[in-house]
Amino acid sequence: MSASMQRLEEVLGEPDRVVVPPPWDRSAAETGIVLPQDYRAFVDRYGSVRICNDLLVWSPSIQFDPHGFEKFVRASRFAEEDILLAYEDKEEDIPFEVHPAPGGLLAWANNSKGDYCFWHMVGEDPEAWPVVVWIQDDFKWDVVDATTTEFLADVITGSYGLANDILTRIQGAPLWKHEGDWTGRF
């Protein structure tokens, strides 16, 4: 287990159930994309989760679609639509393109306010992809040189500068809850 995954597990605690992990070897075959290892380790341990009843960390799933990895990648199109709607006639101000554009963004989390977390798919090594955060209300983009699990731990602990923008802490809400796994079960 990586140090960042261990730190995140210390923050989140033990999962309350065993999840069915995705068959990661199918990802490259279905989409041509190998997702970052620390993200895969997180999903293998926790599945898809909602943090503080707000930030949803996505996970590939075959619920409603037998092509779970393709569905996961296609979900970035919803993020792209939200970005285009927000920028209306100012598309030239959008600093990134979304996958399938070469070096584009691939979404992996969002919150109730329409903010998104992406990987910036620059280079061949998914372990080197930075996290990109888009805060919709402020048209704010932030590139974070961190792995997925480092970033999530920093958001949850509040050490990431925009943590309060992307994570609304609801009084009495659980720190996290299971939202699904490869099979889609909750």
Side-chain angles (χ1 to χ4, degrees), residues 15-22 24 39 42-51 56-64 71 176-186:
D16 59 354
R17 66 190 74 199
V18 175
V19 300
V20 177
W24 296 110
Y39 167 77
F42 174 81
V43 168
D44 285 352
R45 185 90 168 113
Y46 291 92
S48 177
V49 301
R50 187 169 303 275
I51 300 169
L56 177 64
V57 179
W58 307 350
S59 153
S61 169
I62 55 172
Q63 184 178 26
F64 309 120
K71 181 175 75 172
W176 69 276
K177 66 180 183 176
H178 180 76
E179 289 287 325
D181 63 13
W182 175 249
T183 64
R185 67 188 172 100
F186 296 87

Side-chain angles (χ1 to χ4, degrees), residues 12-146:
L12 292 176
E14 291 287 320
D16 59 354
R17 66 190 74 199
V18 175
V19 300
V20 177
W24 296 110
D25 56 323
R26 286 180 40 190
S27 177
E30 284 186 26
T31 66
I33 299 170
V34 175
L35 299 172
Q37 175 58 41
D38 75 311
Y39 167 77
R40 289 182 282 156
F42 174 81
V43 168
D44 285 352
R45 185 90 168 113
Y46 291 92
S48 177
V49 301
R50 187 169 303 275
I51 300 169
C52 293
N53 217 26
D54 190 23
L55 183 65
L56 177 64
V57 179
W58 307 350
S59 153
S61 169
I62 55 172
Q63 184 178 26
F64 309 120
D65 187 335
H67 305 287
F69 291 102
E70 289 178 12
K71 181 175 75 172
F72 178 85
V73 170
R74 279 194 315 266
S76 281
R77 288 295 180 208
F78 295 113
E80 182 178 44
E81 289 173 12
D82 287 347
I83 293 166
L84 292 172
L85 283 170
Y87 278 85
E88 291 184 32
D89 297 327
K90 301 175 190 165
E91 290 178 23
E92 66 278 359
D93 293 342
I94 302 171
F96 300 96
E97 292 185 272
V98 174
H99 177 76
L105 300 178
L106 182 63
W108 56 269
N110 71 312
N111 66 14
S112 59
K113 298 180 289 186
D115 305 327
Y116 286 89
C117 299
F118 302 90
W119 293 297
H120 190 193
M121 298 173 33
V122 290
E124 297 293 320
D125 181 9
E127 309 318 312
W129 294 345
V131 171
V132 175
V133 177
W134 179 52
I135 307 297
Q136 186 177 133
D137 289 345
D138 299 331
F139 293 88
K140 189 183 304 182
W141 293 87
D142 191 30
V143 179
V144 185
D145 187 21

